[in-house]
PDB file of all heavy atoms in Angstrom:
ATOM      1  N   ASP A  67      19.196   0.371   8.461  1.00 92.00           N
ATOM      2  CA  ASP A  67      19.816   1.315   9.363  1.00 92.00           C
ATOM      3  C   ASP A  67      19.597   2.824   8.829  1.00 92.00           C
ATOM      4  O   ASP A  67      20.120   3.225   7.849  1.00 92.00           O
ATOM      5  CB  ASP A  67      21.314   0.994   9.421  1.00 92.00           C
ATOM      6  CG  ASP A  67      22.044   1.977  10.365  1.00 92.00           C
ATOM      7  OD1 ASP A  67      21.376   2.734  11.101  1.00 92.00           O
ATOM      8  OD2 ASP A  67      23.246   1.871  10.499  1.00 92.00           O
ATOM      9  N   ALA A  68      18.840   3.404   9.662  1.00 91.00           N
ATOM     10  CA  ALA A  68      18.515   4.920   9.290  1.00 91.00           C
ATOM     11  C   ALA A  68      19.731   5.722   9.323  1.00 91.00           C
ATOM     12  O   ALA A  68      19.859   6.785   8.593  1.00 91.00           O
ATOM     13  CB  ALA A  68      17.469   5.405  10.224  1.00 91.00           C
ATOM     14  N   HIS A  69      20.768   5.385  10.231  1.00 87.00           N
ATOM     15  CA  HIS A  69      21.983   6.233  10.251  1.00 87.00           C
ATOM     16  C   HIS A  69      22.813   6.181   9.113  1.00 87.00           C
ATOM     17  O   HIS A  69      23.698   7.021   8.934  1.00 87.00           O
ATOM     18  CB  HIS A  69      22.752   5.720  11.486  1.00 87.00           C
ATOM     19  CG  HIS A  69      21.983   5.920  12.825  1.00 87.00           C
ATOM     20  ND1 HIS A  69      21.742   7.120  13.420  1.00 87.00           N
ATOM     21  CD2 HIS A  69      21.360   4.990  13.662  1.00 87.00           C
ATOM     22  CE1 HIS A  69      21.079   6.950  14.542  1.00 87.00           C
ATOM     23  NE2 HIS A  69      20.796   5.651  14.670  1.00 87.00           N
ATOM     24  N   PHE A  94      17.136  13.160  13.856  1.00 95.00           N
ATOM     25  CA  PHE A  94      17.254  11.849  13.318  1.00 95.00           C
ATOM     26  C   PHE A  94      17.036  11.796  11.788  1.00 95.00           C
ATOM     27  O   PHE A  94      17.815  11.029  11.109  1.00 95.00           O
ATOM     28  CB  PHE A  94      16.101  10.887  13.889  1.00 95.00           C
ATOM     29  CG  PHE A  94      16.217   9.534  13.597  1.00 95.00           C
ATOM     30  CD1 PHE A  94      17.189   8.708  14.091  1.00 95.00           C
ATOM     31  CD2 PHE A  94      15.262   8.925  12.764  1.00 95.00           C
ATOM     32  CE1 PHE A  94      17.306   7.327  13.792  1.00 95.00           C
ATOM     33  CE2 PHE A  94      15.255   7.649  12.467  1.00 95.00           C
ATOM     34  CZ  PHE A  94      16.251   6.817  13.030  1.00 95.00           C
ATOM     35  N   HIS A 135      26.837  11.657  13.513  1.00 41.00           N
ATOM     36  CA  HIS A 135      25.464  11.565  13.498  1.00 41.00           C
ATOM     37  C   HIS A 135      24.683  12.149  12.269  1.00 41.00           C
ATOM     38  O   HIS A 135      23.532  11.923  11.986  1.00 41.00           O
ATOM     39  CB  HIS A 135      24.885  12.130  14.783  1.00 41.00           C
ATOM     40  CG  HIS A 135      23.500  11.518  15.120  1.00 41.00           C
ATOM     41  ND1 HIS A 135      22.323  12.336  14.988  1.00 41.00           N
ATOM     42  CD2 HIS A 135      23.108  10.296  15.521  1.00 41.00           C
ATOM     43  CE1 HIS A 135      21.398  11.533  15.210  1.00 41.00           C
ATOM     44  NE2 HIS A 135      21.658  10.427  15.547  1.00 41.00           N
ATOM     45  N   ASP A 152      19.059  13.047  22.072  1.00 95.00           N
ATOM     46  CA  ASP A 152      18.988  11.679  21.551  1.00 95.00           C
ATOM     47  C   ASP A 152      17.727  11.505  20.812  1.00 95.00           C
ATOM     48  O   ASP A 152      16.668  11.824  21.212  1.00 95.00           O
ATOM     49  CB  ASP A 152      18.985  10.722  22.834  1.00 95.00           C
ATOM     50  CG  ASP A 152      18.819   9.326  22.520  1.00 95.00           C
ATOM     51  OD1 ASP A 152      18.550   8.968  21.482  1.00 95.00           O
ATOM     52  OD2 ASP A 152      19.107   8.420  23.466  1.00 95.00           O
ATOM     53  N   PRO A 153      17.823  11.036  19.639  1.00 96.00           N
ATOM     54  CA  PRO A 153      16.586  11.055  18.694  1.00 96.00           C
ATOM     55  C   PRO A 153      15.723   9.784  18.929  1.00 96.00           C
ATOM     56  O   PRO A 153      14.569   9.766  18.441  1.00 96.00           O
ATOM     57  CB  PRO A 153      17.185  10.937  17.354  1.00 96.00           C
ATOM     58  CG  PRO A 153      18.485  10.301  17.467  1.00 96.00           C
ATOM     59  CD  PRO A 153      19.092  10.689  18.840  1.00 96.00           C
ATOM     60  N   HIS A 154      16.241   8.820  19.618  1.00 96.00           N
ATOM     61  CA  HIS A 154      15.507   7.493  19.692  1.00 96.00           C
ATOM     62  C   HIS A 154      14.222   7.549  20.642  1.00 96.00           C
ATOM     63  O   HIS A 154      13.974   6.537  21.364  1.00 96.00           O
ATOM     64  CB  HIS A 154      16.375   6.378  20.086  1.00 96.00           C
ATOM     65  CG  HIS A 154      17.653   6.235  19.155  1.00 96.00           C
ATOM     66  ND1 HIS A 154      18.796   6.861  19.446  1.00 96.00           N
ATOM     67  CD2 HIS A 154      17.853   5.548  17.994  1.00 96.00           C
ATOM     68  CE1 HIS A 154      19.666   6.639  18.511  1.00 96.00           C
ATOM     69  NE2 HIS A 154      19.204   5.839  17.692  1.00 96.00           N
ATOM     70  N   TRP A 156      11.079   6.985  20.287  1.00 98.00           N
ATOM     71  CA  TRP A 156      10.068   5.982  20.171  1.00 98.00           C
ATOM     72  C   TRP A 156      10.334   4.784  21.121  1.00 98.00           C
ATOM     73  O   TRP A 156       9.423   3.977  21.212  1.00 98.00           O
ATOM     74  CB  TRP A 156       9.920   5.528  18.718  1.00 98.00           C
ATOM     75  CG  TRP A 156      11.237   5.013  18.174  1.00 98.00           C
ATOM     76  CD1 TRP A 156      11.641   3.649  18.289  1.00 98.00           C
ATOM     77  CD2 TRP A 156      12.318   5.684  17.508  1.00 98.00           C
ATOM     78  NE1 TRP A 156      12.879   3.538  17.737  1.00 98.00           N
ATOM     79  CE2 TRP A 156      13.374   4.721  17.223  1.00 98.00           C
ATOM     80  CE3 TRP A 156      12.539   6.903  17.129  1.00 98.00           C
ATOM     81  CZ2 TRP A 156      14.559   5.116  16.622  1.00 98.00           C
ATOM     82  CZ3 TRP A 156      13.743   7.343  16.505  1.00 98.00           C
ATOM     83  CH2 TRP A 156      14.760   6.432  16.223  1.00 98.00           C
ATOM     84  N   HIS A 220      24.422   0.177  19.672  1.00 87.00           N
ATOM     85  CA  HIS A 220      24.522   1.537  19.731  1.00 87.00           C
ATOM     86  C   HIS A 220      23.542   2.189  20.738  1.00 87.00           C
ATOM     87  O   HIS A 220      22.629   1.463  21.176  1.00 87.00           O
ATOM     88  CB  HIS A 220      24.446   2.207  18.385  1.00 87.00           C
ATOM     89  CG  HIS A 220      23.007   2.448  17.780  1.00 87.00           C
ATOM     90  ND1 HIS A 220      22.136   1.408  17.653  1.00 87.00           N
ATOM     91  CD2 HIS A 220      22.528   3.522  17.348  1.00 87.00           C
ATOM     92  CE1 HIS A 220      21.074   1.927  17.163  1.00 87.00           C
ATOM     93  NE2 HIS A 220      21.243   3.245  16.944  1.00 87.00           N
ATOM     94  N   ASP A 221      23.780   3.312  21.080  1.00 90.00           N
ATOM     95  CA  ASP A 221      22.958   4.003  22.144  1.00 90.00           C
ATOM     96  C   ASP A 221      21.508   4.375  21.771  1.00 90.00           C
ATOM     97  O   ASP A 221      21.139   5.445  21.667  1.00 90.00           O
ATOM     98  CB  ASP A 221      23.620   5.305  22.538  1.00 90.00           C
ATOM     99  CG  ASP A 221      24.599   5.070  23.726  1.00 90.00           C
ATOM    100  OD1 ASP A 221      24.567   3.882  24.352  1.00 90.00           O
ATOM    101  OD2 ASP A 221      25.474   5.907  23.986  1.00 90.00           O
ATOM    102  N   ALA A 222      20.747   3.309  21.367  1.00 94.00           N
ATOM    103  CA  ALA A 222      19.435   3.570  20.924  1.00 94.00           C
ATOM    104  C   ALA A 222      18.426   3.450  21.927  1.00 94.00           C
ATOM    105  O   ALA A 222      17.215   3.625  21.744  1.00 94.00           O
ATOM    106  CB  ALA A 222      19.044   2.532  19.729  1.00 94.00           C
ATOM    107  N   GLY A 239      28.249   5.096  19.854  1.00 77.00           N
ATOM    108  CA  GLY A 239      27.331   6.212  20.299  1.00 77.00           C
ATOM    109  C   GLY A 239      25.911   6.045  19.866  1.00 77.00           C
ATOM    110  O   GLY A 239      25.486   4.980  19.528  1.00 77.00           O
ATOM    111  N   VAL A 240      25.319   7.283  19.728  1.00 71.00           N
ATOM    112  CA  VAL A 240      23.980   7.283  19.359  1.00 71.00           C
ATOM    113  C   VAL A 240      23.763   6.835  17.930  1.00 71.00           C
ATOM    114  O   VAL A 240      22.711   6.482  17.514  1.00 71.00           O
ATOM    115  CB  VAL A 240      23.388   8.700  19.639  1.00 71.00           C
ATOM    116  CG1 VAL A 240      21.987   8.924  19.066  1.00 71.00           C
ATOM    117  CG2 VAL A 240      23.340   8.904  21.151  1.00 71.00           C
ATOM    118  N   SER A 241      24.758   7.045  17.082  1.00 75.00           N
ATOM    119  CA  SER A 241      24.672   6.774  15.650  1.00 75.00           C
ATOM    120  C   SER A 241      25.371   5.360  15.385  1.00 75.00           C
ATOM    121  O   SER A 241      26.474   5.196  16.028  1.00 75.00           O
ATOM    122  CB  SER A 241      25.342   7.829  14.857  1.00 75.00           C
ATOM    123  OG  SER A 241      25.527   7.284  13.563  1.00 75.00           O
ATOM    124  N   ASN A 242      24.817   4.559  14.537  1.00 73.00           N
ATOM    125  CA  ASN A 242      25.485   3.290  14.301  1.00 73.00           C
ATOM    126  C   ASN A 242      26.802   3.320  13.544  1.00 73.00           C
ATOM    127  O   ASN A 242      27.583   2.401  13.667  1.00 73.00           O
ATOM    128  CB  ASN A 242      24.560   2.481  13.517  1.00 73.00           C
ATOM    129  CG  ASN A 242      23.984   1.276  14.227  1.00 73.00           C
ATOM    130  OD1 ASN A 242      24.593   0.801  15.174  1.00 73.00           O
ATOM    131  ND2 ASN A 242      22.747   0.967  13.900  1.00 73.00           N
ATOM    132  N   GLU A 269      21.636  -5.944  17.480  1.00 91.00           N
ATOM    133  CA  GLU A 269      20.553  -5.224  17.090  1.00 91.00           C
ATOM    134  C   GLU A 269      20.299  -5.542  15.496  1.00 91.00           C
ATOM    135  O   GLU A 269      21.083  -5.956  14.750  1.00 91.00           O
ATOM    136  CB  GLU A 269      20.859  -3.684  17.070  1.00 91.00           C
ATOM    137  CG  GLU A 269      20.715  -3.167  18.412  1.00 91.00           C
ATOM    138  CD  GLU A 269      21.213  -1.632  18.449  1.00 91.00           C
ATOM    139  OE1 GLU A 269      21.024  -0.946  17.343  1.00 91.00           O
ATOM    140  OE2 GLU A 269      21.749  -1.232  19.536  1.00 91.00           O
ATOM    141  N   VAL A 271      19.629  -3.577  13.180  1.00 89.00           N
ATOM    142  CA  VAL A 271      20.189  -2.719  12.198  1.00 89.00           C
ATOM    143  C   VAL A 271      21.698  -2.631  12.263  1.00 89.00           C
ATOM    144  O   VAL A 271      22.257  -1.765  11.552  1.00 89.00           O
ATOM    145  CB  VAL A 271      19.571  -1.253  12.347  1.00 89.00           C
ATOM    146  CG1 VAL A 271      18.110  -1.383  12.044  1.00 89.00           C
ATOM    147  CG2 VAL A 271      19.773  -0.611  13.616  1.00 89.00           C
ATOM    148  N   SER A 294      15.862  -1.721  17.353  1.00 96.00           N
ATOM    149  CA  SER A 294      16.113  -0.355  17.797  1.00 96.00           C
ATOM    150  C   SER A 294      15.562   0.642  16.947  1.00 96.00           C
ATOM    151  O   SER A 294      14.633   1.431  17.331  1.00 96.00           O
ATOM    152  CB  SER A 294      17.669  -0.149  17.915  1.00 96.00           C
ATOM    153  OG  SER A 294      18.318  -0.582  16.755  1.00 96.00           O
ATOM    154  N   ASP A 295      15.990   0.683  15.700  1.00 97.00           N
ATOM    155  CA  ASP A 295      15.656   1.826  14.740  1.00 97.00           C
ATOM    156  C   ASP A 295      14.793   1.358  13.488  1.00 97.00           C
ATOM    157  O   ASP A 295      14.537   2.114  12.654  1.00 97.00           O
ATOM    158  CB  ASP A 295      16.867   2.469  14.225  1.00 97.00           C
ATOM    159  CG  ASP A 295      17.734   3.049  15.283  1.00 97.00           C
ATOM    160  OD1 ASP A 295      17.406   2.864  16.426  1.00 97.00           O
ATOM    161  OD2 ASP A 295      18.752   3.776  14.993  1.00 97.00           O
TER     162      ASP A 295
HETATM  163 ZN1   ZN B 401      19.920   4.782  16.140  1.00 91.81          ZN
END
Side-chain angles (χ1 to χ4, degrees):
D67 181 5
H69 297 287
F94 187 69
H135 202 252
D152 180 345
H154 305 90
W156 59 86
H220 83 301
D221 269 344
V240 173
S241 166
N242 249 332
E269 280 175 34
V271 298
S294 52
D295 297 10

